[in-house]
């Protein structure tokens, strides 16, 4: 029996493109209006959008590499979806460009008068300077593009022309990917978010962003996979047991994120060194305190209890709602990381949310939809020529 | 079509009969141990005695016999403690986390690794008990009702350690014992036919009591499997929590080199790293001596080596990140602490740590090397040396360079310190040697479930295997 009988290609509806384009345009318009009003605030909004897109795109590349490395079976039917979503990492350049033109608005370490005022920040100049920053940004994008080619485009080609030993080479690249990914995602987190407060430092920050990114990527892939599966775009042989694993992984990474976030907080709170606590001070004063407490429930409490029981993970209908929630939680988390820095810079006491901030998740959702349509159009939505494809459809818990 | 078909190798080599699995695993517990066994045992007991004498002297004279002096007030006691707790991490990771990840290759090694966890945690627990130098006061370490506020400091991570380790030990022990019950029953039944000699009779009574009336009934199995799953769920966060709290011992303080936020995950990765290296080392010897090469296969060892490689790189990431942030922080004390580690008086220990933990394990990228028994054994030993030195580097380099340069000094451990270190290895291996002669080192029931053809959902496709 050939693999093509297990899956019949059904083209993506063009309404996906229309939806994506409309949402992206709304988001872009919101951000544009925000830019017209307050360039600084709008730029902070775009940082959130950039961090979200990189989370989803780069996180997807991580999920693909993980599958090859551990030899998972259950995720093979969904790997094509992950491969398509991974294109988000490249499209995030669209958001990065307006930011790169306005770096001085967000990064105080680019302002000489502030550099002089703080000797600790001044010492960081060899790392925190415009040229080196741009070099790192370009290298990070090149790395994402290279692995997008290695994992996704090679796999698309595999559909038309099955290549011998495809899995073996992919697994080798996956092994290479992991250390590169670990360093790159940490640098991205430190460059774009940690350095918003150039005085502050935390060795775990890269791991913190990594944990959230994997959650965001998982949530997006889960949401798309369940939606496509329900509407008959995937193989009929998929069972709830396949989807169950998304729930289990989201549960694991929800706990992992909470563990990392708690470790970071506890150690800084306990040692009580002013240069470290300042970051948490910004987030625990005034209304920010309420938002910080809400974060615990949004990103940990609710997903934890929602995913704890076996039935909730095995029920795609519930799982999709939880996935949407987890994506929302990551949006909130990015706001919690970026927002207070804007408030402080603008001399505000509490949080602000308006067009500039709301544009971030809207642009992200719109771009994911557009990218998914444009990249996925005309392609199989399952890796039919994968050596494990047939076996993976038989997966049962 | 040019599609590759992937057949994964079976976890167990060949297709041994069920009875032959029983026999192969039970054999070490039935025969009179060889001369080599007694020789090995006498070595470990000698080591244990060296430790006991060192401890006796410590208790008689006081901890002044150790190499501790200001400003290095923490030396081998904490280094050995963290080292042994780390060794105790692989067992529960293999038995609980890999179980939840449905990794069948864990089957051949889970029991043994769990046993090592228990003995390693016991060895580790020795150090908090002795580091006060007043073992007669150890009763106060135990959790008990606190109406009189005899535990003055609930914000001390040293106290959290007591909670974390006693919980970890309890859950690991129950997990291990639950897994052993069906195997004890198998051993009991195997003895039933010819229980005539007195040793056989004693054994039979022992295994009968230990098997808690297990009758292999369907109901027993369904309870057992549920219990196993629940305990795996409990044990999983404990794997993370124990070494996290051990890392808090250092990281909540403000000592440069100790206070860094990456410590919790970094310590956990390091613990898994060293634990796997130790399990791999001991398994290599066990599978050879007891002819279990078809059950503890080279594929399993290779997978362990891959985990050693991955966790080694995680540890390397943490070393790098610490170093970078120490500079990035802009604080002289922070950057000095790390430059002092790498180029100060203890640079030798730092470079032992880096080469053993980060550089040598990179050789496992080569499939040829990570499937070579001798080579992997050497790397496993090096990893454990490196991980012991990691704790040494963290503890000693930071303390020896106090905030006041006038109090800086060099730490020299005393002979008693080494005696206790040797004793801890003696205790661990003595317990291990007793274990392998009295209990099944591989889970008989679980191995039977992974031999080819025993799975209920077997493939029946036309491509064949």
């Amino acid at each position: 029996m050939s693999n093509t009988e297990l899956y019949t290609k059904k083209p993506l509806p063009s309404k996906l493109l229309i939806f994506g384009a409309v949402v992206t345009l709304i988001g872009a318009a919101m951000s544009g209006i925000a830019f017209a009003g307050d360039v600084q605030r709008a730029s902070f909004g775009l940082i959130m959008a950039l961090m979200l897109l990189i989370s989803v795109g780069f996180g997807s590349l991580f999920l693909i590499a993980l599958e090859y490395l551990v030899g998972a079976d259950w995720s093979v039917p969904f790997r094509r979806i992950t491969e398509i979503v991974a294109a988000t990492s490249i499209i995030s350049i669209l958001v990065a460009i307006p930011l790169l033109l306005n770096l001085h608005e967000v990064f105080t370490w680019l302002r000489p008068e502030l550099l002089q005022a703080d000797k600790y920040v001044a010492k960081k100049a060899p790392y925190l300077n415009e040229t080196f920053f741009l070099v790192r940004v370009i290298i990070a994008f090149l790395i994402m593009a290279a692995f997008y080619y290695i994992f996704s485009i090679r796999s698309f080609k595999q559909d038309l022309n099955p290549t011998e030993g495809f899995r073996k080479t992919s697994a080798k690249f996956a092994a290479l990917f992991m250390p590169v990914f670990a360093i790159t995602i940490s640098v991205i987190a430190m460059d774009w978010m940690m350095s918003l407060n150039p005085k502050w430092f935390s060795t775990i920050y890269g791991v913190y962003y990594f944990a959230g990114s994997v959650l965001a990527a998982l949530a997006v892939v889960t949401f798309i996979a369940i939606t496509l599966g329900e509407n008959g775009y995937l193989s009929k042989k998929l069972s709830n047991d396949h989807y169950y694993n998304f729930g289990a992984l989201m549960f694991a990474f929800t706990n992992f994120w909470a563990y990392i976030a708690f470790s970071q907080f506890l150690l800084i709170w306990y040692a009580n060194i002013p240069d470290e606590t300042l970051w948490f001070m910004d987030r625990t004063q005034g209304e920010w305190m309420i938002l910080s407490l809400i974060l615990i429930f949004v990103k940990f409490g609710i997903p934890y209890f929602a995913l704890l029981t076996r039935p909730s993970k095995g029920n795609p209908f519930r799982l999709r709602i939880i996935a949407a929630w987890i994506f929302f939680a990551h949006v909130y988390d990015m706001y919690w990381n970026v927002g207070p820095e804007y408030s402080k810079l603008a001399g505000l006491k509490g949080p602000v949310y308006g067009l500039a901030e709301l544009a971030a998740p809207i642009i992200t959702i719109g771009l994911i939809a557009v990218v998914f349509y444009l990249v996925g159009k005309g392609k199989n939505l399952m890796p039919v020529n994968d050596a494990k494809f047939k076996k993976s459809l038989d997966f049962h818990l | 079509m040019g599609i590759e078909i992937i057949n994964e190798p079976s976890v167990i080599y060949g297709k041994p009969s069920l009875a032959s699995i029983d026999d192969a695993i039970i054999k070490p517990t039935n025969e009179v141990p060889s001369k080599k066994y007694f020789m090995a045992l006498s070595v470990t007991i000698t080591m244990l005695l060296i430790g006991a004498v060192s401890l006796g002297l410590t208790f008689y004279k006081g901890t002044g016999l150790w190499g501790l002096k200001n400003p290095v007030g923490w030396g081998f006691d904490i280094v050995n403690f963290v080292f042994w707790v780390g060794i105790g991490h692989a067992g529960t990771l293999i038995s609980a986390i890999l179980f939840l990840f449905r990794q069948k290759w864990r089957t051949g090694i889970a029991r043994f690794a769990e046993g090592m966890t228990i003995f390693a945690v016991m060895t580790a627990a020795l150090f908090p008990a002795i580091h006060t130098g007043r073992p007669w006061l150890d009763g106060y370490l135990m959790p008990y009702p606190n109406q009189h506020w005899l535990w003055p400091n609930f914000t001390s991570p040293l106290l959290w350690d007591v909670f974390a380790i006693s919980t970890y030990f309890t859950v690991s022990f129950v997990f291990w014992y639950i897994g052993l019950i069906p195997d004890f029953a198998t051993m009991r039944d195997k003895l039933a036919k010819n229980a005539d000699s007195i040793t056989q009779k004693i054994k039979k009574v022992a295994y009968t009591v230990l098997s808690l009336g297990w009758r292999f009934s369907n109901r027993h199995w369904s309870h057992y499997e549920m219990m196993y799953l629940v305990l795996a769920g409990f044990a999983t966060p404990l794997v993370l929590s124990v070494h996290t709290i051990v890392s808090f011992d250092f990281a909540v303080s403000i000592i440069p080199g100790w206070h860094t936020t990456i410590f919790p995950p970094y310590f956990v990765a390091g613990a898994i790293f060293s634990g796997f290296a130790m399990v791999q080392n001991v398994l290599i010897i066990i599978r050879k001596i007891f002819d279990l090469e078809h059950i503890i296969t080279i594929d399993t060892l290779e997978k362990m080596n891959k985990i050693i490689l991955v966790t080694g790189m995680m540890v390397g990431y943490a070393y790098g990140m610490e170093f970078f942030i120490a500079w990035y922080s802009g604080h002289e004390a922070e950057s000095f602490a790390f430059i002092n580690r790498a180029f100060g008086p203890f640079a030798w220990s730092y470079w032992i740590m880096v080469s053993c933990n980060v550089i040598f394990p990179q050789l496992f990228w080569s499939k040829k090397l990570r499937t070579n028994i001798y080579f992997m054994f050497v790397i496993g030993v090096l990893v454990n040396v490196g991980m012991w030195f990691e704790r040494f580097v963290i503890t000693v380099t930071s303390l020896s360079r106090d905030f006041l340069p006038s109090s800086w000094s060099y730490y020299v451990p005393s002979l008693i310190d080494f005696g206790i270190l040797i004793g801890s290895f003696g205790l661990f291996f003595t317990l291990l040697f007793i274990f392998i002669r009295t209990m099944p080192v591989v889970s008989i029931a679980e191995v039977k479930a992974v031999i080819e053809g025993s799975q209920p959902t077997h493939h029946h496709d036309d491509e064949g295997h």
Side-chain angles (χ1 to χ4, degrees):
Chain A
M1 191 159 67
S2 99
N3 287 348
T4 36
E5 287 167 39
L6 296 167
Y7 161 76
T8 3
K9 185 151 79 179
K10 186 174 159 187
L12 286 168
S14 51
K15 66 179 181 192
L16 177 67
L17 178 66
I18 298 165
F19 166 80
V22 169
V23 173
T24 310
L25 286 176
I26 292 174
M30 286 165 73
S31 187
I33 296 168
F35 260 102
D38 183 345
V39 180
Q40 190 175 46
R41 186 171 164 188
S43 304
F44 271 91
L46 279 190
I47 286 203
M48 285 166 58
L50 178 68
M51 297 318 283
L52 286 170
L53 287 165
I54 292 178
S55 282
V56 173
F58 212 9
S60 298
L61 287 174
F62 170 79
L63 293 177
I64 299 166
L66 191 66
E67 184 202 295
Y68 285 124
L69 278 185
V70 302
D73 289 340
W74 69 271
S75 62
V76 175
F78 308 115
R79 203 184 67 230
R80 177 55 44 81
I81 296 171
T82 321
E83 285 161 1
I84 297 171
V85 173
T88 323
S89 60
I90 298 182
I91 215 71
S92 62
I93 293 175
L94 289 182
V95 179
I97 288 167
L99 266 174
L100 290 173
L101 299 174
N102 290 297
L103 283 181
H104 289 259
E105 294 291 339
V106 284
F107 293 119
T108 50
W109 45 265
L110 279 169
R111 301 184 191 173
E113 73 277 11
L114 285 164
L115 267 180
Q116 295 307 318
D118 193 320
K119 66 167 182 156
Y120 290 118
V121 178
K123 275 188 187 170
K124 300 178 192 190
Y127 184 80
L128 292 182
N129 63 68
E130 197 162 10
T131 323
F132 193 26
F133 179 86
L134 289 174
V135 169
R136 291 195 300 270
V137 169
I138 292 167
I139 292 176
F141 275 114
L142 287 178
I143 287 171
M144 287 192 273
F147 281 102
Y148 175 72
Y149 175 80
I150 288 167
F151 290 135
S152 300
I153 296 183
R154 273 177 68 248
S155 173
F156 301 152
K157 286 183 187 159
Q158 163 93 341
D159 269 11
L160 308 170
N161 183 19
T163 36
E164 204 70 35
F166 169 77
R167 260 187 168 273
K168 221 173 167 184
T169 19
S170 298
K172 278 186 180 158
F173 279 120
L176 175 72
F177 172 79
M178 285 300 177
V180 176
F181 169 77
I183 296 167
T184 313
I185 198 163
S186 309
V187 170
I188 290 173
M190 291 190 291
D191 281 359
W192 287 103
M193 286 204 298
M194 195 167 93
S195 81
L196 286 174
N197 188 337
K199 202 169 175 180
W200 187 68
F201 53 91
S202 171
T203 42
I204 209 174
Y205 199 73
V207 186
Y208 179 89
Y209 180 63
F210 157 75
S213 293
V214 177
L215 266 179
L218 265 173
V220 169
V221 173
T222 309
F223 188 89
I224 296 175
I226 294 174
T227 311
L228 290 177
E230 274 185 356
N231 293 303
Y233 288 92
L234 303 177
S235 171
K236 298 253 175 330
K237 286 198 77 183
L238 284 178
S239 71
N240 289 357
D241 285 359
H242 285 94
Y243 297 113
Y244 172 92
N245 296 286
F246 281 125
L249 266 185
M250 285 195 287
F251 183 68
F253 273 93
T254 294
N255 284 295
F256 182 67
W257 175 86
Y259 165 64
I260 298 297
F262 174 73
S263 297
Q264 174 168 278
F265 173 75
L266 181 89
L267 293 179
I268 289 175
W269 169 79
Y270 197 116
N272 209 7
I273 300 172
D275 287 353
E276 290 184 337
T277 49
L278 56 94
W279 195 80
F280 280 105
M281 294 298 272
D282 293 340
R283 282 155 185 78
T284 48
Q285 281 176 347
E287 275 179 55
W288 279 111
M289 183 65 188
I290 302 166
L291 268 74
S292 298
L293 291 174
I294 291 173
L295 177 71
I296 302 171
F297 292 97
V298 167
K299 191 138 185 183
F300 175 64
I302 291 168
Y304 177 85
F305 285 106
L307 286 168
L308 184 61
T309 61
R310 221 180 159 102
S312 62
K313 282 175 280 212
N315 176 344
F317 177 74
R318 278 166 75 174
L319 206 54
R320 186 165 57 170
I321 297 171
I322 298 167
W325 180 270
I326 286 177
F327 178 77
F328 163 70
H330 188 59
V331 173
Y332 188 83
D333 185 21
M334 291 299 104
Y335 176 61
W336 184 77
N337 272 275
V338 174
E341 302 306 333
Y342 169 72
S343 293
K344 199 170 67 167
L345 214 57
L348 301 165
K349 282 253 158 66
V352 281
Y353 22 84
L355 289 179
E357 289 77 20
L358 277 175
I362 293 175
I363 291 174
T364 308
I365 292 168
L367 280 179
I368 293 172
V370 171
V371 162
F372 198 85
Y373 180 82
L374 292 179
V375 178
K377 185 180 58 167
K379 292 196 175 69
N380 289 320
L381 294 175
M382 302 185 97
V384 286
N385 281 347
D386 191 284
K388 274 188 169 182
F389 182 62
K390 205 172 148 203
K391 185 184 170 202
S392 65
L393 285 177
D394 283 332
F395 173 85
H396 286 287
L397 280 175
Chain B
M1 283 177 80
I3 301 171
E4 342 153 49
I5 301 293
I6 292 200
N7 284 324
E8 277 158 28
S10 174
V11 179
I12 307 296
Y13 285 169
K15 216 178 161 183
S17 72
L18 298 181
S20 78
I21 289 176
D22 285 349
D23 294 337
I25 297 173
I26 295 175
K27 200 172 140 220
T29 66
N30 276 341
E31 53 190 22
V32 178
S34 65
K35 232 181 212 166
K36 275 184 196 156
Y37 174 80
F38 283 114
M39 275 161 67
L41 192 65
S42 57
V43 170
T44 63
I45 289 180
T46 311
M47 288 163 75
L48 182 58
L49 283 175
I50 293 172
V53 170
S54 308
L55 273 183
L57 284 169
T58 303
F59 295 151
Y60 187 72
K61 297 262 191 188
T63 48
L65 290 181
W66 296 353
L68 302 177
K69 62 173 193 247
N70 271 334
V72 185
W74 244 7
F76 269 35
D77 44 352
I78 193 79
V79 174
N80 293 340
F81 165 72
V82 180
F83 174 76
W84 283 110
V85 178
I87 299 294
H89 269 61
T92 314
L93 182 105
I94 291 169
S95 52
I97 295 185
L98 295 185
F99 175 75
L100 294 181
F101 278 116
R102 300 187 294 263
Q103 297 295 309
K104 283 188 188 143
W105 60 272
R106 67 179 267 290
T107 317
I109 58 174
R111 166 72 45 75
F112 195 79
E114 283 169 46
M116 286 179 66
T117 289
I118 301 205
F119 307 137
V121 173
M122 283 162 78
T123 311
L126 189 69
F127 291 95
I130 63 167
H131 89 286
T132 57
R134 303 178 185 87
W136 49 92
L137 296 176
D138 283 347
Y140 293 107
L141 284 170
M142 296 310 292
Y144 62 96
N146 196 42
Q147 290 93 335
H148 298 290
W149 285 96
L150 289 170
W151 274 16
N153 196 357
F154 274 98
T155 51
S156 164
L158 296 176
L159 190 152
W160 307 342
D161 264 349
V162 179
F163 287 116
I165 290 175
S166 51
T167 312
Y168 184 62
F169 181 77
T170 311
V171 172
S172 300
F173 185 81
V174 172
F175 198 35
W176 181 60
Y177 184 66
I178 296 276
L180 272 166
I181 291 174
D183 289 359
F184 280 140
T186 306
M187 295 171 84
R188 172 200 69 198
D189 295 349
K190 284 264 171 187
L191 278 168
K193 289 162 204 155
N194 48 359
D196 40 4
S197 72
I198 184 77
T199 50
Q200 296 278 5
K201 274 182 183 146
I202 294 171
K203 266 183 165 175
K204 182 144 193 251
V205 170
Y207 290 134
T208 307
V209 171
L210 287 170
S211 61
L212 301 179
W214 182 269
R215 288 288 177 275
F216 296 99
S217 79
N218 189 13
R219 182 182 287 223
H220 286 180
W221 279 118
S222 76
H223 285 315
Y224 170 88
E225 296 209 335
M226 191 35 118
M227 186 68 189
Y228 204 80
L229 184 66
V230 169
L231 279 173
F234 275 133
T236 298
L238 287 173
V239 176
L240 297 178
S241 75
V242 176
H243 232 62
T244 295
I245 288 172
V246 170
S247 81
F248 287 171
D249 292 349
F250 300 95
V252 296
S253 73
I254 53 165
I255 311 268
W258 286 12
H259 175 69
T260 168
T261 47
I262 206 168
F263 255 40
Y266 150 46
F267 264 51
V268 172
I272 294 165
F273 181 54
S274 66
F276 263 69
M278 185 68 102
V279 172
Q280 178 245 52
N281 265 344
V282 181
L283 278 178
I284 287 174
I285 299 169
I286 296 291
R287 72 197 276 274
K288 183 81 196 158
I289 296 178
F290 295 134
D291 295 325
L292 293 172
E293 277 146 325
H294 62 301
I295 291 175
I296 303 165
T297 62
I298 192 85
D299 293 334
T300 306
L301 292 173
E302 191 202 345
K303 288 190 171 98
M304 296 191 73
N305 292 337
K306 283 181 179 172
I307 292 182
I308 290 173
L309 176 61
V310 170
T311 47
M313 283 194 288
M314 288 182 188
V315 171
Y317 169 90
Y319 294 163
M321 186 56 87
E322 274 184 336
F323 227 108
F324 171 70
I325 295 285
W327 171 81
Y328 180 88
S329 72
H331 288 264
E332 272 155 31
E334 287 288 331
S335 25
F336 171 77
F338 284 90
I339 288 168
N340 178 51
R341 272 184 192 176
F343 305 107
F346 287 101
W348 56 274
S349 62
Y350 181 82
W351 293 107
I352 291 177
M353 164 186 107
V354 170
S355 48
C356 290
N357 291 348
V358 185
I359 299 170
F360 293 137
Q362 301 306 320
L363 293 166
F364 276 157
W365 282 94
S366 150
K367 191 181 171 83
K368 206 172 164 189
L369 292 178
R370 66 171 183 260
T371 48
N372 179 319
I373 293 281
Y374 302 101
F375 183 81
M376 67 170 92
F377 187 84
V378 172
I379 294 286
V381 173
L382 287 177
V383 165
N384 271 314
V385 170
M387 283 309 291
W388 190 88
F389 272 100
E390 180 195 295
R391 282 67 176 249
F392 180 85
V393 166
I394 292 170
T395 312
V396 174
T397 58
S398 286
L399 285 177
S400 71
R401 288 294 174 266
D402 205 352
F403 292 106
L404 276 178
S406 60
S407 58
W408 288 1
S409 80
Y410 195 78
Y411 169 72
V412 184
S414 69
L415 277 180
I416 299 288
D417 279 322
F418 284 107
I420 295 172
L421 174 62
I422 291 169
S424 72
F425 276 90
L427 174 64
F428 177 75
F429 283 105
T430 306
L431 289 168
L432 205 65
F433 282 144
I434 297 171
F435 166 60
I436 57 181
R437 281 294 170 189
T438 49
M439 295 175 199
V441 291
V442 175
S443 173
I444 303 171
E446 285 189 35
V447 164
K448 285 177 185 168
V450 293
I451 52 173
E452 212 178 324
S454 63
Q455 290 79 11
T457 50
H458 197 59
H459 296 286
H460 40 77
D461 52 21
D462 43 359
E463 265 129 7
H465 288 273

